[in-house]
Amino acid sequence: MFNMLNSKQVVVSVQYLNHFFGQDALQRQVLFDINLEVCAGEVVIMTGPSGSGKTTLLSLIGGLRSVQAGSLEVVGQELYGASHDVVTQNRRRIGYIFQGHNLLECLTARQNVQMPLEMHPDIPDADAQSKAEAMLELVHLEHLFGSYPNQLSGGEKQRVAIARALISHPQLVLADEPTAALDSKTGRDIVELLQQLSRKQGCAILMVTHDNRILDVADRRIYMEDGKLLQEVVNR
């Protein structure tokens, strides 16, 4: 198993995870006996060719697909055999950052960041708004609270997405190609900012990327090919 041999809290524990697409004669295996651990405060980057299963694995860890075989424990919750309600509840402990940022065009930057807090009815609207503004300040967008996505650059949109992912203080952040649409400097700035903020909050980061320019940001790099985790490189 690829893991961190230290006393840090294990946030993701994957054991002999297998996954299939299709049924009967059309069934095709896409993940083969995946074993992986990701710990709190750790940045893990997963690389490999397109179609190797990286995004499928990320979606299983995020509770966006059902676990079919093996064990997948995320933030202390076993997802194999878990009910829909349990999986949904567990998603609230995870922050997501996607290649396309997935901002709602009809909402301002502040409103987009504030959205995850709507799942917490105990947080008053005024507090939610101030928390969203504080997160935008942390990503250096305090001058764009009221701006809509179509008024933002690609880098600014990803900063909003980072703020949205971290506002609920998740224990895990999943990032799928977060720099793909950005130039080299902006992409580097985005990943370093994500790293700094996540470590400040003490959460784990698992990132899928094809961007070789940001690999040194990771504590570990995992290489995936043909549905298998084949190699691990420890940066520090």
Side-chain angles (χ1 to χ4, degrees):
M1 177 181 294
F2 296 145
N3 56 56
M4 285 287 287
L5 299 178
N6 57 28
S7 59
K8 288 185 178 181
Q9 176 191 0
V10 176
V11 177
V12 176
S13 177
V14 184
Q15 299 183 45
Y16 300 103
L17 183 70
N18 293 274
H19 197 73
F20 305 83
F21 288 155
Q23 295 181 341
D24 302 325
L26 298 177
Q27 188 179 76
R28 177 172 61 93
Q29 189 167 357
V30 293
L31 295 180
F32 298 81
D33 289 334
I34 301 296
N35 291 281
L36 175 68
E37 285 185 357
V38 183
C39 296
E42 185 183 17
V43 179
V44 176
I45 286 182
M46 187 159 35
T47 65
S50 297
S52 59
K54 303 184 301 299
T55 295
T56 299
L57 177 57
L58 209 68
S59 65
L60 285 163
I61 293 172
L64 304 177
R65 295 181 185 273
S66 298
V67 179
Q68 298 171 342
S71 173
L72 175 53
E73 189 173 303
V74 179
V75 197
Q77 176 62 56
E78 174 60 58
L79 298 186
Y80 177 68
S83 68
H84 174 75
D85 288 345
V86 167
V87 173
T88 299
Q89 184 67 30
N90 212 53
R91 285 187 201 133
R92 298 178 182 177
R93 304 174 184 176
I94 302 172
Y96 301 88
I97 302 171
F98 302 99
Q99 176 179 341
H101 55 72
N102 288 8
L103 302 181
L104 291 181
E105 297 292 335
C106 61
L107 300 181
T108 65
R110 179 186 58 75
Q111 291 168 332
N112 267 286
V113 173
Q114 190 175 329
M115 277 185 61
L117 298 182
E118 294 177 1
M119 295 187 292
H120 301 271
D122 55 316
I123 300 178
D125 287 344
D127 289 350
Q129 179 174 329
S130 63
K131 288 177 182 291
E133 292 176 354
M135 281 303 307
L136 284 168
E137 289 174 0
L138 284 176
V139 298
H140 313 300
L141 293 180
E142 58 273 9
H143 57 297
L144 295 174
F145 290 164
S147 298
Y148 290 88
N150 64 1
Q151 299 171 310
L152 304 177
S153 68
E156 289 167 345
K157 290 176 183 177
Q158 282 297 58
R159 287 174 184 266
V160 173
I162 289 173
R164 181 181 59 187
L166 294 176
I167 192 169
S168 296
H169 293 272
Q171 293 171 264
L172 172 67
V173 172
L174 301 176
D176 193 1
E177 299 284 3
T179 66
L182 304 175
D183 63 75
S184 59
K185 183 181 185 307
T186 303
R188 180 79 186 187
D189 290 345
I190 289 296
V191 171
E192 289 182 348
L193 179 62
L194 174 60
Q195 177 193 49
Q196 293 164 11
L197 293 178
S198 293
R199 285 188 171 164
K200 184 177 180 180
Q201 293 190 3
C203 67
I205 307 173
L206 179 59
M207 183 188 310
V208 167
T209 187
H210 287 99
D211 190 346
N212 293 330
R213 301 166 300 186
I214 62 171
L215 297 184
D216 62 302
V217 174
D219 297 296
R220 285 187 294 145
R221 305 198 312 268
I222 304 295
Y223 179 77
M224 191 169 192
E225 188 172 339
D226 296 329
K228 301 174 183 177
L229 292 181
L230 298 180
Q231 182 182 16
E232 175 184 26
V233 176
V234 178
N235 283 358
R236 48 181 173 272

